[in-house]
Amino acid sequence: MNLLLTIALGIANLLPQAEDAFWRDSIPQEMKQSYTVYGEQYLGKAWTALPWTVFAENKITGNRVNYEGICFEKRRHLAALVMAEIVEGKGRFMNDIIDGIGSFCEETWWGIPAHYGKRIPLQDIQEVDLFNAETASLIVWTRYMLEKQLDAFSPDICQRIDREIEQRILKPAVANNYWWKTAGMNWNPWICSNWLTCVLICEHDEARKAEAIAQIEKATQAFIDAYPEDGGCDEGPGYWDRAAASMFEVLRLLPEASHFDAQADKIKKMAAYSYKTYIGHDYCVNFADAHENKAVQQVNIVYPFGHWLNDKTMREFGAYLGRTKQVLPQPAKLYDKSGNFPTLGRELFFLRNIRDFIAEKPQEPLIKDAWLPNLQIMTARRGSLYTAFKGGHNGESHNHNDVGSFIVYVEGEPLFIDPGVGEYTAKTFSNSRYEIWTMQSGYHNLPQINGTDQQDGKAFGAKVVSHQNGQLTLDIAGAYPQQADVKSWKRTVTAAKSGITVTEDFELNTYKAPTRLMLLTTRNDALKHISYNAKQLEATIEDISNQLDPLLQGVWGPKMYRVVLTVKSTKTKQQIKYTIR
């Protein structure tokens, strides 16, 4: 079978249905027990009705997390019951599942308010967004896996599901020229993977099925074409599992995927990004919008993707993640956190290869050096030190104004960090995005030049001056607006076992205000890790903990600080060097 496979077996041969002995005989008993206990907590629990007043909060106050919390928990409720029923197979969870399906069918729209134009959901506006599609996939996999059991109760259930899927996904997805069909970011494959599931299981109109598959293939090709040749995800590792990983799910399900073989090398690089940006101790590089600094790569997609590509490093990384996260004794604990709500299809496909997974040798991918020339990202590991340094531009997907920022980890733990992103609100994806502090260059590890921070937009970017393993020089002057009055700013990050050395070689057109070098940290003793010339720089540390919202506190803890190294000289041409150990 070729690298990217020719899938002509049909979905039934990819996943056995719930009554198949596979789910009782092939899944280890401790895993089945974990899923069963997880489902039992929802037995007899009433199904939540999603309140319109909370839906409307996004348009009224900008809050989106209140509705999402209720919405995602309801989907978690169903996913837990379904997994428990599949592995136990005794019908004990079926009444709750049936009632749940009824409750979902009565929801007006399955998406989230941030992706909807109205204050309340309306029956005749069925926009196909991420979570309309994701919820549809959950319902459709439930229908597929438990079809026999649902039909035994009433054949009208599966017919009702098919009608709902047709109205909510199948008709609008084919008929509308949605922007995401040509996008090079996560919406494209994330929606297409769920749309394709709905097509393969619920579409009974053969002409529309053929048209849908053709559109999905075209959209997937557009996504791959838009991706940089180095396979890097400009949205950051936090979105990789819904970008390249969701693309894999499309290719795995397509009835005919062989014409993507021409992109085999690029697809392998897109997969490898998952471990090229892995730091160690469960941490990964968290540039762009990342809601976590740990546990970003999910076992139930990393291992299947690596298995499919026969990428030994990725397979072993998946096995390592599984061992460290105790996926065999406690799979439900991970399953519960495997997405905004548990992704049923992913978990089932992961379990399809569980015996191969158990036999796999676990290995942490402690890559010494990685260089992504299109994204301009270098990572380097030297002894106990790890650094990642990025260029790129300030018009990337899920962009932060962070051209030229770097992070440093010592002994696998964070020292100088990228804060990531806080709770999403209406402001996050509005024209006011860069009013949010986590998006600003002043809260990344960057210079503030002549009192001026970086500007957002694709025109504001870096130029690569030179690169060799463990050393990268970028001219980041282009990331700053005209008022910074900077002629050139060559920042060099050099990794060695003795320290991470940063050289700032810059020339200003004029001197307007003291230049300040910012460094973000969670450690109040961070200054002792920096060696610098006190004649050149004055160091202070600011407590910025009051800016942390609950999400960021959950990621980093209650405290965060900003180290400020202020350049003392008023000279317009200088070279400053400091070392982090």
Side-chain angles (χ1 to χ4, degrees):
M1 209 171 275
N2 63 36
L3 177 63
L4 294 179
L5 303 179
T6 298
I7 303 173
L9 300 176
I11 200 166
N13 288 326
L14 290 174
L15 276 182
Q17 291 176 291
E19 65 272 14
D20 194 288
F22 171 84
W23 302 105
R24 260 67 68 197
D25 298 343
S26 299
I27 311 301
Q29 184 59 39
E30 59 185 351
M31 295 188 80
K32 291 191 290 184
Q33 178 66 18
S34 176
Y35 291 122
T36 302
V37 171
Y38 179 53
E40 284 175 339
Q41 68 180 311
Y42 292 102
L43 275 173
K45 182 179 178 180
W47 288 95
T48 302
L50 302 181
W52 284 0
T53 53
V54 181
F55 189 97
E57 286 179 2
N58 183 250
K59 298 295 183 287
I60 299 170
T61 68
N63 182 285
R64 59 183 277 176
V65 298
N66 290 342
Y67 184 86
E68 288 175 14
I70 300 168
C71 176
F72 294 165
E73 172 56 27
K74 182 174 181 179
R75 282 134 180 81
R76 181 176 292 107
H77 183 169
L78 180 62
L81 291 169
V82 174
M83 276 302 303
E85 180 57 40
I86 290 169
V87 299
E88 186 182 76
K90 296 179 180 178
R92 191 158 60 104
F93 299 89
M94 283 308 304
N95 281 351
D96 289 271
I97 291 168
I98 290 165
D99 287 340
I101 291 171
S103 182
F104 276 94
C105 288
E106 295 304 317
E107 285 185 16
T108 306
W109 185 63
W110 286 338
I112 60 172
H115 303 157
Y116 203 71
K118 298 287 187 177
R119 186 174 282 197
I120 64 168
L122 302 176
Q123 195 72 45
D124 58 346
I125 301 180
Q126 293 296 323
E127 295 290 337
V128 180
D129 85 321
L130 299 177
F131 296 106
N132 187 9
E134 185 79 1
T135 301
S137 177
L138 170 61
I139 300 295
V140 166
W141 279 120
T142 300
R143 180 220 187 281
Y144 170 77
M145 294 300 296
L146 299 171
E147 182 176 18
K148 181 178 178 181
Q149 294 84 344
L150 294 171
D151 281 350
F153 185 86
S154 170
D156 292 325
I157 295 176
C158 288
Q159 293 174 26
R160 173 67 185 272
I161 290 172
D162 289 353
R163 289 195 300 273
E164 295 292 337
I165 297 300
E166 181 180 48
Q167 295 303 314
R168 297 170 187 262
I169 301 293
L170 299 178
K171 284 184 174 180
V174 164
N176 289 283
N177 188 27
Y178 289 117
W179 64 269
W180 48 260
K181 292 182 181 180
T182 57
M185 47 84 78
N186 69 84
W187 275 60
N188 181 332
W190 190 348
I191 293 175
C192 281
S193 61
N194 292 312
W195 177 19
L196 182 56
T197 299
C198 295
V199 169
L200 294 177
I201 295 175
C202 293
E203 182 58 89
H204 303 295
D205 183 317
E206 292 302 319
R208 194 166 58 210
K209 177 184 286 187
E211 173 62 20
I213 290 173
Q215 287 191 22
I216 290 167
E217 289 177 341
K218 185 177 180 181
T220 303
Q221 188 63 65
F223 174 76
I224 295 170
D225 289 345
Y227 233 70
E229 290 302 316
D230 59 23
C233 179
D234 69 351
E235 300 175 279
Y239 272 91
W240 173 88
D241 81 320
R242 292 302 183 184
S246 287
M247 172 209 65
F248 153 61
E249 293 180 295
V250 174
L251 298 180
R252 177 174 60 189
L253 286 177
L254 276 174
E256 174 59 64
S258 60
H259 58 271
F260 288 99
D261 286 349
Q263 282 82 37
D265 288 342
K266 187 173 185 179
I267 290 169
K268 289 187 74 173
K269 290 176 182 177
M270 292 165 76
Y273 175 85
S274 65
Y275 55 81
K276 287 181 178 178
T277 52
Y278 178 75
I279 297 170
H281 287 201
D282 211 19
Y283 289 105
C284 76
V285 176
N286 67 321
F287 295 140
D289 279 358
H291 291 295
E292 294 283 354
N293 60 344
K294 300 191 80 172
V296 171
Q297 296 93 343
Q298 301 293 324
V299 179
N300 68 358
I301 197 65
V302 170
Y303 183 76
F305 200 172
H307 185 274
W308 188 69
L309 287 173
N310 196 26
D311 181 328
K312 183 173 181 288
T313 302
M314 195 171 188
R315 290 197 328 262
E316 292 179 348
F317 181 32
Y320 170 82
L321 291 172
R323 297 301 193 279
T324 57
K325 299 173 192 296
Q326 296 189 299
V327 75
L328 294 179
Q330 299 182 53
K333 185 177 179 180
L334 286 182
Y335 174 57
D336 183 63
K337 298 177 181 178
S338 62
N340 291 280
F341 48 87
T343 307
L344 183 57
R346 282 193 174 181
E347 195 76 0
L348 295 172
F349 275 106
F350 167 64
L351 292 174
R352 191 73 172 99
N353 298 123
I354 192 63
R355 290 300 171 185
D356 290 338
F357 170 82
I358 291 170
E360 196 74 59
K361 173 189 174 184
Q363 184 68 46
E364 192 174 20
L366 301 179
I367 307 298
K368 181 181 179 184
D369 290 290
W371 169 235
L372 302 173
N374 300 105
L375 288 192
Q376 300 177 351
I377 290 178
M378 175 191 80
T379 71
R381 188 187 311 274
R382 297 293 184 273
S384 64
L385 297 169
Y386 179 97
T387 188
F389 179 30
K390 80 174 295 291
H393 60 80
N394 282 332
E396 296 167 342
S397 184
H398 288 271
N399 178 68
H400 296 196
N401 286 342
D402 61 354
V403 170
S405 190
F406 64 90
I407 59 173
V408 176
Y409 281 58
V410 180
E411 300 287 357
E413 295 298 322
L415 177 56
F416 293 111
I417 65 170
D418 184 316
V421 64
E423 293 178 344
Y424 281 165
T425 67
K427 193 173 185 178
T428 310
F429 299 104
S430 74
N431 292 333
S432 302
R433 177 179 175 88
Y434 294 96
E435 295 175 7
I436 301 170
W437 71 274
T438 57
M439 309 298 175
Q440 299 169 8
S441 65
Y443 291 93
H444 288 78
N445 301 324
L446 285 165
Q448 185 184 72
I449 304 172
N450 271 329
T452 304
D453 287 339
Q454 290 186 8
Q455 180 69 46
D456 59 287
K458 192 173 182 178
F460 298 92
K463 294 179 181 178
V464 176
V465 178
S466 65
H467 171 261
Q468 57 187 15
N469 290 343
Q471 180 174 289
L472 173 63
T473 300
L474 296 172
D475 188 341
I476 63 172
Y480 291 80
Q482 189 174 358
Q483 56 264 39
D485 249 344
V486 55
K487 185 174 182 180
S488 71
W489 192 292
K490 294 176 183 177
R491 166 172 270 196
T492 301
V493 173
T494 304
K497 289 183 179 180
S498 58
I500 307 298
T501 299
V502 184
T503 305
E504 316 282 9
D505 195 341
F506 63 91
E507 183 175 358
L508 309 178
N509 293 314
T510 58
Y511 175 86
K512 294 180 178 179
T515 288
R516 306 195 304 163
L517 308 173
M518 314 297 189
L519 294 167
L520 274 286
T521 184
T522 57
R523 299 173 59 165
N524 59 10
D525 66 344
L527 275 174
K528 73 179 185 182
H529 292 273
I530 310 172
S531 299
Y532 61 94
N533 185 342
K535 294 180 180 180
Q536 290 183 317
L537 299 170
E538 178 183 358
T540 59
I541 187 165
E542 306 168 350
D543 190 333
I544 59 170
S545 306
N546 63 347
Q547 304 214 56
L548 302 179
D549 65 17
L551 189 151
L552 287 169
Q553 288 177 350
V555 171
W556 296 110
K559 305 297 287 185
M560 188 174 290
Y561 306 89
R562 181 167 70 168
V563 172
V564 180
L565 303 175
T566 302
V567 179
K568 293 182 176 180
S569 173
T570 62
K571 292 180 180 179
T572 56
K573 188 174 183 179
Q574 298 189 58
Q575 184 183 86
I576 292 171
K577 187 178 292 188
Y578 50 100
T579 300
I580 299 166
R581 297 182 175 86

